[in-house]
Amino acid sequence: MTNIDFNRRRFLQYAALGTLATSISGFASTASRNLNQAPNKAFKPDVEIALTAQMAEVSILPGAATRVLKYTGKLLKGPQTAIKRLPGYLGPILNLEQGQKVRIFFYNQSPEPCVTHWHGMHVPQIMDGHPMYAISQGEQYVYEFEVKNPAGTNWYHSHTHEMTARQVYQRLTGLITITDEDERRLDLPSSEFDIPLVIQDRRFTSGNQLHYSLTMRQRMQGFLGNTILVNGQHNHIIPVKTRVYRLRILNGSNARIYKLGWSDGSPITAIGTDGGLLEKPETFPCIMLSPAERVELWVDFSGHKTGSELALQTLPYQGFSMGMGRGRRMGMQESVADQGSKDTLVRFTIIEQISDSPKLPDTLAPIRRLTVKDVSNPDKTVPINIGMHRMTFNLNGRIFEMLDYTEQEKIPLNTMQRIRISNANPAMGGGMGRGMRGGQGGRIMGMMIALPHPIHLHGQQFQILSRKPGYADSAYATVKEGFINSGWKDTVLVMPGEEVEIIKPFMDYTGLFLYHCHNLEHGDMGMMRNFFVS
């Protein structure tokens, strides 16, 4: 996109915002060319951070350095622990506390328009990173918000219209950790025993440069790499001691879905998900983690001998029609690992025997379980129907338009809404691993539609009310035991044929809040819509 095109589009957006602003309290101040370019003098921050998006060269693979887009950060005010710089290409970890007031000066020094989304954070619309607020190279945007989230792991990333997939792929990603009083009362692993893991898959040229070029198949299934990176490193090995660790895991990939499991077959203990700590620890044989989802694990290495190793893997599973044998016969096979392939993500090597280690708490965080009785209008269910038209995925039969919303996407402020997300596309045949019956063309269409979609809703976190699989076949059986359906979430993986109901609060803030597929290629294709909260 040229700068002229971007500025013309933004001018039209601001003209439309002028009309929209009249119906939203507190929204009018953003309906101007000035954006949030200056700090609000009435806002008294506890933490101030300068965050810059810029080009950089980092060492990822042996040999030549890799050119990337990268967030760099500097603490201007607040405790020294508020920002932790990481080696490599990931942005700094922002360590915040519930109740803090935070001001972030975002500078765009990248050659493209850019906007930053604070994924999972409950913030006002003008602070949320809606693509309407993208700024050009050399411009500044000032984010100011109070941390209302409970303790947990969130993240931030680029959310530029039609550029999100490429910019996130180029490394515009960073973690946010939040602590609160409830968490501080728990004896959870901290400091060196609290390890963040950002999992991403990438492809590199022979000169170690990132390769991102979309074929039709990659647009439909999402871009898959052939190299797994954890915290920006390939074949990552982490030395650990014989005690308990807390792992904060983010799936930062564009499209790849991981089935997490231990190499020795032992169960996985989860203590948190997207929206923070669970009410109590839960144990799973595996955990499905789609793009944008987070999970926090309690891992005890005390039973392992010095010199031994335990690997976190992505285990094999079924349920994805693209990449099956029919696709290869049609010339669609590429040199990437298909969804559902087994691979090692990160290895933990035991280097020291110690005896000091906390015990797993019986309870973690207080959570009020939402039910249908909490819904503001029990007779109304807000639909999110996943569909396809002319080789483009859509939501409720429509693709994204910057300021567009329909009557059913209007949400009253301070309400609880029951939302039904349906991936039961009527054009899909047979089951998750099968295409449509009939001729070859029918099979291709079936393959392209029968895909899972990680659906992310901006604003407040939600709770999963129910999951209804459309197909009780062997493919769904390989993933169903890995879903965490308790706690607070902001992203939910909806499998082919499946229907998921959630309850989501729409509290405190008016304006346009996005909901979209977090398969980033799908989002850039238009699989994104606005809720208008008023």
Side-chain angles (χ1 to χ4, degrees):
M1 181 191 302
T2 67
N3 196 54
I4 294 175
D5 290 339
F6 173 68
N7 287 333
R8 180 178 182 275
R9 175 181 291 182
R10 187 160 59 176
F11 172 80
L12 295 174
Q13 290 165 10
Y14 292 143
L17 278 171
T19 301
L20 184 63
T22 61
S23 61
I24 309 178
S25 175
F27 189 42
S29 62
T30 69
S32 70
R33 174 62 185 83
N34 292 327
L35 297 172
N36 265 42
Q37 293 187 332
N40 179 357
K41 294 181 180 179
F43 186 84
K44 305 299 181 184
D46 303 299
V47 177
E48 279 191 333
I49 294 170
L51 192 69
T52 302
Q54 60 189 31
M55 300 298 298
E57 290 192 350
V58 298
S59 179
I60 300 176
L61 302 178
T66 304
R67 293 185 298 274
V68 299
L69 274 175
K70 179 181 178 180
Y71 285 114
T72 59
K74 180 181 179 181
L75 181 65
L76 304 178
K77 176 184 178 182
Q80 292 301 308
T81 55
I83 186 169
K84 180 180 179 180
R85 297 171 184 85
L86 298 175
Y89 62 75
L90 290 173
I93 298 177
L94 308 184
N95 297 310
L96 307 177
E97 298 181 17
Q98 187 181 57
Q100 280 182 332
K101 292 185 177 180
V102 179
R103 174 180 288 150
I104 298 174
F105 295 92
F106 172 58
Y107 303 100
N108 181 21
Q109 296 300 332
S110 73
E112 300 177 338
C114 191
V115 65
T116 298
H117 168 50
W118 313 100
H119 187 119
M121 301 294 288
H122 179 39
V123 297
Q125 178 216 257
I126 60 172
M127 305 302 170
D128 185 51
H130 193 289
M132 74 172 100
Y133 298 121
I135 58 175
S136 298
Q137 184 178 27
E139 292 186 329
Q140 167 183 287
Y141 197 102
V142 181
Y143 295 95
E144 297 170 328
F145 54 83
E146 179 182 345
V147 179
K148 295 192 173 185
N149 293 62
T153 305
N154 296 301
W155 63 305
Y156 59 97
H157 61 81
S158 166
H159 213 308
T160 314
H161 183 41
E162 297 177 339
M163 301 182 187
T164 299
R166 180 162 48 82
Q167 290 184 349
V168 172
Y169 184 84
Q170 290 177 308
R171 307 302 198 257
L172 280 181
T173 300
L175 282 178
I176 302 171
T177 70
I178 300 171
T179 187
D180 62 12
E181 288 297 332
D182 289 328
E183 182 188 60
R184 284 190 282 268
R185 284 193 286 266
L186 299 170
D187 187 20
L188 298 180
S190 59
S191 188
E192 64 175 296
F193 308 114
D194 184 349
I195 300 177
L197 299 175
V198 180
I199 306 173
Q200 298 168 309
D201 62 330
R202 298 293 186 262
R203 299 183 69 187
F204 294 88
T205 67
S206 58
N208 283 353
Q209 300 311 306
L210 290 169
H211 173 76
Y212 186 79
S213 178
L214 295 179
T215 64
M216 177 57 72
R217 178 177 187 249
Q218 290 165 337
R219 283 171 56 86
M220 298 306 299
Q221 72 172 7
F223 192 91
L224 301 178
N226 56 10
T227 302
I228 302 292
L229 304 177
V230 174
N231 293 347
Q233 300 181 55
H234 186 221
N235 293 325
H236 194 26
I237 300 175
I238 298 177
V240 295
K241 302 174 183 179
T242 54
R243 58 151 288 155
V244 167
Y245 284 73
R246 177 182 187 176
L247 304 184
R248 302 174 185 259
I249 304 177
L250 161 68
N251 182 350
S253 299
N254 279 32
R256 187 173 296 280
I257 300 168
Y258 302 96
K259 181 180 178 180
L260 303 180
W262 293 113
S263 55
D264 64 356
S266 58
I268 297 183
T269 300
I271 61 172
T273 185
D274 303 349
L277 295 173
L278 294 168
E279 188 173 21
K280 59 182 180 180
E282 298 185 33
T283 301
F284 300 86
C286 61
I287 291 177
M288 299 300 297
L289 201 70
S290 66
E293 285 188 299
R294 286 87 68 206
V295 66
E296 297 190 21
L297 304 184
W298 177 280
V299 186
D300 190 353
F301 295 105
S302 62
H304 296 265
K305 297 180 179 180
T306 303
S308 64
E309 185 177 272
L310 182 66
L312 183 64
Q313 299 178 326
T314 180
L315 304 176
Y317 60 92
Q318 303 174 42
F320 299 85
S321 294
M322 297 201 67
M324 301 288 284
R326 291 187 295 270
R328 287 192 286 270
R329 289 201 300 270
M330 298 303 295
M332 299 166 68
Q333 176 67 11
E334 303 187 18
S335 58
V336 298
D338 285 331
Q339 289 274 29
S341 299
K342 183 178 180 178
D343 205 342
T344 295
L345 303 176
V346 58
R347 291 178 289 164
F348 298 91
T349 300
I350 315 303
I351 62 167
E352 183 180 348
Q353 289 279 341
I354 61 174
S355 58
D356 180 30
S357 185
K359 294 183 179 180
L360 180 64
D362 293 328
T363 59
L364 295 166
I367 295 177
R368 183 171 73 90
R369 180 64 181 171
L370 301 179
T371 69
V372 176
K373 294 180 180 179
D374 297 298
V375 175
S376 299
N377 187 352
D379 297 327
K380 177 184 176 183
T381 301
V382 178
I384 299 180
N385 295 315
I386 297 168
M388 171 181 258
H389 180 65
R390 294 182 179 177
M391 305 301 289
T392 299
F393 291 107
N394 61 56
L395 297 173
N396 293 328
R398 302 172 72 93
I399 60 173
F400 181 64
E401 295 179 28
M402 190 69 74
L403 305 178
D404 183 49
Y405 58 89
T406 63
E407 189 65 27
Q408 68 183 8
E409 292 168 328
K410 294 174 66 174
I411 306 293
L413 178 64
N414 295 329
T415 60
M416 293 271 191
Q417 298 293 327
R418 182 178 182 177
I419 301 174
R420 181 179 295 120
I421 309 170
S422 175
N423 194 9
N425 194 299
M428 183 175 63
M432 292 193 303
R434 299 185 291 275
M436 294 174 64
R437 296 181 179 179
Q440 195 174 62
R443 288 196 298 272
I444 295 172
M445 182 59 70
M447 287 189 291
M448 290 183 174
I449 293 177
L451 293 174
H453 295 278
I455 302 300
H456 169 51
L457 288 80
H458 287 219
Q460 282 175 281
Q461 307 277 344
F462 57 78
Q463 291 184 13
I464 296 174
L465 186 62
S466 65
R467 303 186 79 112
K468 298 177 182 178
Y471 307 105
D473 59 9
S474 59
Y476 192 83
T478 65
V479 301
K480 68 178 183 179
E481 293 182 322
F483 296 130
I484 303 178
N485 295 319
S486 54
W488 292 97
K489 299 277 292 172
D490 58 54
T491 306
V492 59
L493 180 60
V494 187
M495 299 301 292
E498 193 171 37
E499 184 177 274
V500 178
E501 287 199 352
I502 66 174
I503 298 180
K504 176 176 168 57
F506 290 83
M507 304 295 179
D508 303 324
Y509 304 124
T510 57
L512 296 175
F513 290 90
L514 296 170
Y515 65 97
H516 59 91
C517 181
H518 221 286
N519 179 317
L520 296 181
E521 281 70 37
H522 292 176
D524 280 352
M525 289 170 63
M527 195 177 177
M528 180 162 62
R529 295 290 303 165
N530 290 306
F531 282 128
F532 175 42
V533 183
S534 63

